[in-house]
Amino acid sequence: MSKVPVTPAKEGAGDEPETPSIMRLKSRHGRGISVRPVGAEMADVYKSQLNECVVEDNKTFLPRGGIIVSTVAGDIQFGIPPETIKDSMKLGITVPTYFVILGEMFDRQAGLNMAEFEFPAYFNFFCLKKRVTLICMPDLEARVRAIFTETLLGPEAGHCMGEMDHGGECNETAHPNFREEGYYLDGMRRDLNVDTLIQFKTFDAKSEVSIDDKVKIKYDLFTKSYKVIDVTVKNKEVAKVEEKFSRGPKRRDDEDDAADGDEEPIKEPAPVDNDRKPFETPKFGITILGSSHGFDPNGSTTGFVIWVNGRGIMVDPPPGSSQALEKLSIPHRLIEGIILTHCHADHDAGTFQKILKEQAVKIYTTQTIFNSFMRKYSAISGFGPEFLKQLFTFHPVKIGVPVEFYGAKFNFYYSFHTIPCVGFELELDGESMCYSADTNSDPTVVEKMFAEKAIGQQRRDMLINKSPLRGDHSLIFHEAGVPPIHTPMNLLVDLDASIKSKMFVVHVTGSQIPSDSGLKQANIFDTVLIDMDHDLGTEEEGGEGVHALQRLLRTLNVLPNFSPSAIASIRLSMSVKEYPAGTSIAEEGSSITSFTIFTAGRADEYVTESNIINRSYFCGDYAGETSFVQDNAYKFTITAKTNVHTIDIPMTVLKPLLDEHSETEKFLEDIKAYARLQTDGTWSALGQNVVFKEFTNLQRKDFFNFLEPKEEFELGQSIDIQSCGILVLEGEVQVLLDPSSVEDEDDLSTYRGKNNRMDFIDSQVSSGAFLCDINSVLNEKMTYVTCEALSNVVVRRLSRGGLIQFLTRYPGLMVQLLDTRILTLEGIE
């Protein structure tokens, strides 16, 4: 096994123009517009993830995941994560034409589509003039066809909800004819269909697929792996690939590597984001999560967070945007919604990552786009639309009807694209920004459609009058992708300088923007700010500094809602601290003198004697709250893993404020219950669970509220898990499931159908294990899983009602737990 350096991409792909550290512009009302840079080290986080890949024999492990196997028939890629073609481009190798879909397409733990074939198909067809071959199980072909029909051609006419999508003064002439508009943009689309871009090969009755009579791929059901066989060399097995999606080979120790003759062992990548900084939420601003397109090997696809009065709404979150928020020190709870502009993979691939993170969010889009999204992700995930709708709240938007968000007003409109896509305008206190979304803003094409009666009067007027090229806003974010289905760059270059000064170009690489054009592209992770005339340093009641602290405290969901005057006194007494990586934040047994809020970085909590990590703290988490109800001593040691920033509020200030607050009694009761769990083993047990150890403070608190009192079992006793979940605090438990004992086949099928049966289980588990036949609990069916105490065992039970309430509150956990019986620190069964 060896590490292979990445070959730099050619032709300047992804080169970004330099943006001044602070850019001074003026809004339409004379307010200042500036760019808050994140810093060179943080800006390189995205690119650093792609610095190297690993090659083992004839297998190349791609940085984003997936494996390319070199064969006499050509390269075959197993697994297709989002943006996978960028790995091949970055490595300087040809994007494969053969792709194998591994098992289920949707990774429930990552919240990602691991069979994202859209861009491999587009790249091969439009750039290489080739057709991709998708290799999959027979039952997946229909699902893939449904997905690609939806994204390539858009919804059928009967699925376009013109009346439901429009309101206000809009009439029928405002309704887009999406298919016809797509034909005007690109005439060749009239002859496109799924089979134009994709050839399917499915496994036969022997679980085999042949490629050009040179290579055979055989699926082994027993080992759940694929064998790649070279038919031309006496059926020699040239590679074996596990069905479970791989993000890289298992790390080997020094002795194994030395035995193989490698020069050096494979090491974990060095952290590049150690020096994280607290994030100041603006009153009105935009944080860039990506500004490039799906074919750029060095850039992230376009997406951003819009900030309104300290609350965020994500627009087309790119893959990995949840991790980006953590690196930027933005608490997930500050992001309350997602705007989904359309259902191309470079715009919707990261949506479910956010949907499945902590609490449920709202999705803002039109009914037509939402229905398309449901059909697409139902086919991807295997879950029905009704189940998926439980994971979030859909907020339908109507063209012509404003949408309120924390005092701001959104106005949506359908852009000019190949499938339904919405752009929008946003207005707050006299200032505004607009986002074109994917579109072609060329007015000549619009006028041609209108003249030929392909669109109506209001549709024509909306495309012309709502065009961001008019320059009617304080900030303009406009795309300039590949024409004809995107806006030609020359249209933006020819704009008046006063418009270009307010414009950020997206959906392009920096090298595509002419250096002397006056146009600019925002750097990834920078925040563009409009100064809303608030004195950030004011200490007076109602000042922006007070409001910012008030917003932060409310996101914690632990303290009562203090008055502005109380917040002002807290702000005067609090201290801002920074801890270098490796230093102690709190020692076990030391006095708790402050309520600590983590605002950046990562800290680990552990018992000093065992050195076992109970949990990790990230931005938005807190510590020290148990001092409100018990002795003033830490039960654990907390150490900075990276550079950590905190806000410390003295207990001498907080406690008197709590004594005066009407909600204090209920608040203290919750904290008492919470504090007791830190000493009875429950707190530490969560740290020994692969899923639960990632709980935030809020999730831990809610989880504890649903737990029932401790139960004890002696050696040999049976532990019933019918209609409940069991958290093991102490002892060893034997868990068994014998499929031969099951009378009804349906009771062994997974939540996504009979094609995937639950396997035989014979496991011994200990502290931290969560035992629950989640499918039987949700469906009120009998479980065939048996549990027996192998020693004295202590557990806490979560009843069916409590479990369902908890999972409904945190839908991402429900998706992770489906089809499981056992969760331990090592993994999921």
Side-chain angles (χ1 to χ4, degrees):
M1 186 184 297
S2 60
K3 291 186 289 187
V4 176
V6 170
T7 302
K10 299 179 180 180
E11 300 179 2
D15 295 338
E16 297 178 355
E18 291 293 327
T19 299
S21 59
I22 296 292
M23 186 186 323
R24 296 297 182 188
L25 305 171
K26 288 293 183 182
S27 73
R28 60 180 178 171
H29 291 290
R31 292 180 170 123
I33 298 175
S34 62
V35 174
R36 181 199 296 165
V38 77
E41 184 179 82
M42 184 64 210
D44 284 340
V45 166
Y46 174 79
K47 294 179 182 178
S48 70
Q49 296 170 346
L50 308 177
N51 281 341
E52 59 185 33
C53 73
V54 174
V55 175
E56 183 180 42
D57 299 326
N58 61 342
K59 293 194 292 187
T60 300
F61 294 83
L62 300 174
R64 286 178 176 82
I67 300 169
I68 293 179
V69 177
S70 298
T71 75
V72 293
D75 288 347
I76 304 171
Q77 181 169 327
F78 290 79
I80 324 172
E83 301 190 308
T84 190
I85 64 169
K86 296 184 178 184
D87 285 346
S88 296
M89 295 168 71
K90 185 85 173 177
L91 293 168
I93 61 178
T94 302
V95 174
T97 57
Y98 294 105
F99 293 87
V100 180
I101 296 177
L102 296 177
E104 283 294 341
M105 293 189 281
F106 189 69
D107 186 322
R108 291 178 289 124
Q109 271 63 58
L112 284 176
N113 173 19
M114 293 306 179
E116 199 293 279
F117 51 81
E118 288 179 51
F119 271 76
Y122 296 150
F123 186 83
N124 271 281
F125 183 77
F126 293 109
C127 299
L128 304 180
K129 310 303 179 187
K130 297 178 181 179
R131 185 167 65 149
V132 301
T133 298
L134 278 186
I135 301 168
C136 62
M137 294 298 171
D139 62 298
L140 292 184
E141 180 178 345
R143 285 165 60 180
V144 170
R145 286 183 176 277
I147 296 164
F148 205 41
T149 299
E150 201 74 38
T151 62
L152 178 65
L153 303 175
E156 299 175 356
H159 289 153
C160 297
M161 318 296 290
E163 289 291 335
M164 297 185 70
D165 289 348
H166 294 77
E169 298 180 359
C170 294
N171 58 39
E172 288 187 3
T173 68
H175 301 177
N177 184 339
F178 296 112
R179 289 279 176 97
E180 194 66 24
E181 290 183 15
Y183 298 153
Y184 269 85
L185 279 175
D186 184 9
M188 71 175 293
R189 298 180 64 81
R190 293 183 183 274
D191 301 318
L192 286 183
N193 56 47
V194 175
D195 294 300
T196 309
L197 281 77
I198 298 177
Q199 171 185 329
F200 289 91
K201 282 185 174 292
T202 58
F203 288 89
D204 60 20
K206 295 181 180 179
S207 299
E208 295 179 354
V209 164
S210 176
I211 301 177
D212 297 336
D213 295 325
K214 296 179 180 178
V215 171
K216 181 169 63 177
I217 303 175
K218 182 174 180 59
Y219 176 67
D220 188 325
L221 179 62
F222 181 74
T223 62
K224 291 190 180 297
S225 63
Y226 298 85
K227 296 178 180 179
V228 183
I229 300 167
D230 189 335
V231 178
T232 68
V233 188
K234 298 181 180 180
N235 289 325
K236 178 184 177 182
E237 182 179 320
V238 296
K240 183 179 178 181
V241 179
E242 301 298 325
E243 180 182 55
K244 187 174 182 180
F245 184 84
S246 173
R247 292 182 178 82
K250 291 182 179 179
R251 186 176 184 269
R252 298 189 292 184
D253 59 28
D254 296 8
E255 291 78 12
D256 288 340
D257 285 317
D260 288 346
D262 289 348
E263 294 183 3
E264 58 178 285
I266 296 173
K267 300 181 177 66
E268 299 291 340
V272 296
D273 57 342
N274 183 54
D275 193 20
R276 302 181 187 181
K277 304 292 185 188
F279 185 86
E280 297 177 18
T281 56
K283 182 180 173 78
F284 194 6
I286 298 93
T287 297
I288 311 299
L289 301 178
S291 58
S292 193
H293 56 75
F295 295 153
D296 173 16
N298 293 323
S300 181
T301 53
T302 297
F304 46 91
V305 178
I306 298 175
W307 297 105
V308 175
N309 287 315
R311 295 290 178 162
I313 186 166
M314 296 179 85
V315 180
D316 292 347
S321 54
S322 290
Q323 292 88 338
L325 292 181
E326 291 173 2
K327 293 177 186 298
L328 289 167
S329 301
I330 299 174
H332 288 279
R333 290 188 294 276
L334 291 180
I335 311 296
E336 300 195 1
I338 297 171
I339 294 175
L340 176 64
T341 65
H342 65 296
C343 292
H344 279 153
D346 56 333
H347 292 265
D348 69 10
T351 303
F352 260 92
Q353 279 189 311
K354 177 54 187 169
I355 288 174
L356 301 182
K357 194 69 176 179
E358 206 179 70
Q359 290 179 293
V361 297
K362 290 183 179 179
I363 290 186
Y364 296 81
T365 195
T366 64
Q367 190 71 53
T368 294
I369 295 173
F370 177 75
N371 291 347
S372 181
F373 180 69
M374 285 292 95
R375 288 190 295 271
K376 178 178 178 179
Y377 272 85
S378 178
I380 288 171
S381 68
F383 296 127
E386 293 308 312
F387 172 80
L388 293 179
K389 289 176 184 178
Q390 300 177 53
L391 307 180
F392 51 83
T393 302
F394 171 47
H395 187 116
V397 305
K398 291 181 179 288
I399 312 303
V401 179
V403 175
E404 297 282 340
F405 183 81
Y406 283 93
K409 189 175 293 185
F410 283 88
N411 281 288
F412 291 85
Y413 61 89
Y414 272 120
S415 67
F416 183 22
H417 199 38
T418 54
I419 66 172
C421 177
V422 287
F424 57 83
E425 302 169 328
L426 169 62
E427 193 270 336
L428 177 68
D429 293 349
E431 301 293 354
S432 65
M433 68 84 66
C434 67
Y435 176 48
S436 71
D438 280 12
T439 192
N440 187 322
S441 291
D442 189 347
T444 61
V445 184
V446 176
E447 297 292 11
K448 184 175 187 292
M449 286 193 300
F450 179 63
E452 297 177 4
K453 298 184 179 180
I455 59 174
Q457 181 70 54
Q458 284 196 351
R459 177 62 174 152
R460 176 265 173 204
D461 293 346
M462 189 167 294
L463 287 174
I464 297 296
N465 299 332
K466 290 287 186 182
S467 172
L469 301 185
R470 293 171 58 88
D472 296 335
H473 300 280
S474 308
L475 277 177
I476 302 167
F477 283 77
H478 203 294
E479 69 95 59
V482 179
I485 66 173
H486 296 279
T487 301
M489 180 66 72
N490 67 286
L491 279 181
L492 305 186
V493 171
D494 292 340
L495 291 172
D496 185 89
S498 63
I499 298 176
K500 289 190 285 189
S501 69
K502 303 184 289 185
M503 180 178 288
F504 289 90
V505 186
V506 296
H507 214 284
V508 294
T509 62
S511 60
Q512 291 176 274
I513 301 176
S515 59
D516 58 350
S517 65
L519 297 169
K520 56 190 171 296
Q521 181 185 31
N523 290 327
I524 188 170
F525 301 147
D526 282 356
T527 297
V528 183
L529 302 160
I530 298 179
D531 179 7
M532 300 302 287
D533 293 338
H534 281 266
D535 179 7
L536 298 182
T538 183
E539 304 295 343
E540 64 184 6
E541 182 173 327
E544 179 57 23
V546 171
H547 289 313
L549 179 59
Q550 190 171 43
R551 289 193 296 265
L552 173 62
L553 294 180
R554 285 180 177 174
T555 64
L556 303 180
N557 289 297
V558 62
L559 296 173
N561 292 327
F562 291 119
S563 66
S565 60
I567 297 292
S569 66
I570 291 174
R571 191 164 185 267
L572 286 171
S573 63
M574 73 184 193
S575 58
V576 177
K577 295 182 179 180
E578 180 177 358
Y579 298 87
T583 59
S584 175
I585 297 173
E587 292 288 342
E588 183 178 339
S590 63
S591 297
I592 303 175
T593 58
S594 299
F595 178 69
T596 299
I597 304 170
F598 294 85
T599 57
R602 170 187 164 183
D604 289 341
E605 173 193 278
Y606 57 92
V607 179
T608 305
E609 183 177 344
S610 65
N611 214 32
I612 296 175
I613 295 176
N614 281 330
R615 61 161 300 180
S616 295
Y617 292 88
F618 297 93
C619 61
D621 288 329
Y622 54 84
E625 73 284 358
T626 56
S627 177
F628 295 129
V629 294
Q630 63 179 29
D631 57 57
N632 295 327
Y634 283 102
K635 303 300 180 186
F636 312 103
T637 292
I638 304 175
T639 301
K641 179 72 172 179
T642 66
N643 286 1
V644 170
H645 296 254
T646 68
I647 290 176
D648 283 18
I649 304 172
M651 288 296 180
T652 54
V653 173
L654 267 184
K655 286 184 176 180
L657 291 174
L658 287 173
D659 291 341
E660 299 169 2
H661 203 282
S662 60
E663 299 177 16
T664 296
E665 185 174 348
K666 180 182 181 303
F667 157 75
L668 293 179
E669 286 301 316
D670 288 344
I671 294 295
K672 283 179 183 177
Y674 191 58
R676 283 195 295 270
L677 297 170
Q678 292 195 7
T679 57
D680 74 350
T682 308
W683 185 274
S684 296
L686 261 64
Q688 304 308 302
N689 187 284
V690 68
V691 173
F692 298 165
K693 70 186 180 71
E694 301 295 335
F695 278 178
T696 63
N697 284 83
L698 180 60
Q699 288 172 314
R700 281 184 172 238
K701 181 171 175 288
D702 285 345
F703 185 77
F704 291 159
N705 285 340
F706 289 117
L707 286 175
E708 296 180 359
K710 285 184 181 181
E711 298 178 50
E712 297 184 3
F713 297 86
E714 296 179 353
L715 172 65
Q717 281 191 300
S718 174
I719 304 174
D720 182 20
I721 65 167
Q722 180 69 41
S723 298
C724 69
I726 296 287
L727 179 66
V728 180
L729 305 189
E730 299 175 23
E732 302 283 331
V733 179
Q734 179 78 46
V735 186
L736 289 171
L737 171 62
D738 184 355
S740 64
S741 67
V742 179
E743 298 177 2
D744 188 345
E745 285 282 321
D746 286 345
D747 292 336
L748 278 180
S749 63
T750 69
Y751 207 80
R752 288 177 286 182
K754 296 181 181 179
N755 291 325
N756 297 284
R757 285 165 43 96
M758 294 300 232
D759 293 330
F760 185 88
I761 293 176
D762 184 359
S763 296
Q764 293 183 12
V765 300
S766 56
S767 174
F770 186 67
L771 312 178
C772 179
D773 188 346
I774 190 68
N775 292 12
S776 70
V777 170
L778 294 177
N779 296 320
E780 294 190 87
K781 288 193 171 186
M782 175 181 175
T783 180
Y784 291 87
V785 177
T786 60
C787 301
E788 180 182 319
L790 297 178
S791 65
N792 290 338
V793 173
V794 180
V795 304
R796 298 197 64 169
R797 194 177 300 269
L798 196 65
S799 69
R800 179 177 186 272
L803 182 60
I804 290 176
Q805 285 187 62
F806 182 70
L807 295 180
T808 301
R809 190 170 299 174
Y810 302 103
L813 289 171
M814 175 159 55
V815 174
Q816 290 186 67
L817 297 184
L818 288 176
D819 303 337
T820 66
R821 267 80 179 217
I822 305 173
L823 269 74
T824 65
L825 186 61
E826 287 73 35
I828 297 173
E829 290 185 24

